[in-house]
Amino acid sequence: MKKKKQNLYRTTAEKALKRGYLNYNEGQLHYGVAGKGPALLFIHQSSSSLEEYVALVPYLSNNYQLILFDLPGHGMSSDPEQEPGVPEFTNAALALLNHLQITKCSIVGHHGGALMTMDLAHKYPDRVENIVLSGTSGIKTAEEKKGFQKTWKVKSKLCWTEMEHRSC
């Protein structure tokens, strides 16, 4: 009896995700874009890649322009010469938004990606519509919370509780 070839589901096979590379000052940034509508940028956690979010493409691409990318030194992006931190990762995300000519977007960030999301929102509030933070404890003191909230032009979009940060 002939054995049937098994097809395995791989997120890298997501056909709706159009992939590309951006050459920028730190090397090459691997990214993928899918869908149409308001821009929604996803920032993955450290030691991961854009694959963290690929499974969401079929569910969200009908209503949003999804932008996924591999942070420098992650996934298929090139390795930087020095170990990057939040500012360098933030600069990479901004370079990608500029490359794609996206002037304003909402951002989803998980764990370390949430720290970069907060950094982008803090440094470039005019470029950020909404944020979704998952798995972060980046803002700890009342003073830090107040400083972050002051950067937002529309403060009513953020709800702050002692233990969690979420969009209203």
Side-chain angles (χ1 to χ4, degrees), residues 22 26 63 72 91 115 152 158:
L22 163 64
E26 298 294 324
N63 298 310
N91 290 341
L115 295 176
W152 284 84
L158 295 179

Side-chain angles (χ1 to χ4, degrees), residues 111-156:
H111 206 266
L115 295 176
M116 288 157 246
T117 299
M118 289 188 289
D119 195 45
L120 261 169
H122 175 74
K123 290 179 180 172
Y124 307 99
D126 57 320
R127 302 285 302 264
V128 178
E129 184 73 33
N130 296 295
I131 61 174
V132 177
L133 305 174
S134 168
T136 184
S137 61
I139 299 175
K140 297 179 181 177
T141 68
E143 199 171 298
E144 287 174 314
K145 290 177 190 177
K146 286 179 188 175
F148 182 70
Q149 285 175 310
K150 285 180 186 177
T151 65
W152 284 84
K153 293 178 184 173
V154 184
K155 293 179 187 174
S156 63

Side-chain angles (χ1 to χ4, degrees), residues 4 16 32 49 63-65 70 76 84 88 93-96 101 112 118 121 124 127-128 140 144 148 154 157 164:
K4 187 177 179 182
S49 72
N63 298 310
Y64 298 96
Q65 179 187 15
D70 291 330
M76 293 170 45
E88 291 80 17
L94 186 63
L96 180 59
Q101 300 178 356
M118 289 188 289
Y124 307 99
R127 302 285 302 264
V128 178
K140 297 179 181 177
E144 287 174 314
F148 182 70
V154 184
K157 290 185 180 180
E164 80 183 90

Side-chain angles (χ1 to χ4, degrees), residues 62-119:
N62 287 334
N63 298 310
Y64 298 96
Q65 179 187 15
L66 308 177
I67 304 144
L68 292 68
F69 73 106
D70 291 330
L71 293 168
H74 295 76
M76 293 170 45
S77 289
S78 60
D79 291 330
E81 290 184 24
Q82 297 180 348
E83 187 68 31
V86 172
E88 291 80 17
F89 292 140
T90 298
N91 290 341
L94 186 63
L96 180 59
L97 292 175
N98 290 340
H99 172 72
L100 297 173
Q101 300 178 356
I102 295 173
T103 57
K104 197 164 198 163
C105 68
S106 294
I107 308 173
V108 175
H110 176 65
H111 206 266
L115 295 176
M116 288 157 246
T117 299
M118 289 188 289
D119 195 45

Side-chain angles (χ1 to χ4, degrees), residues 8 12 14 17 23 31 40 57 62 67 71 77 95 100 107 118 151 161 165-166:
L8 299 176
T12 53
E14 177 55 58
L17 191 66
N23 292 316
Y31 68 92
L40 184 56
V57 171
N62 287 334
I67 304 144
L71 293 168
S77 289
L100 297 173
I107 308 173
M118 289 188 289
T151 65
T161 65
H165 319 293
R166 64 180 187 271

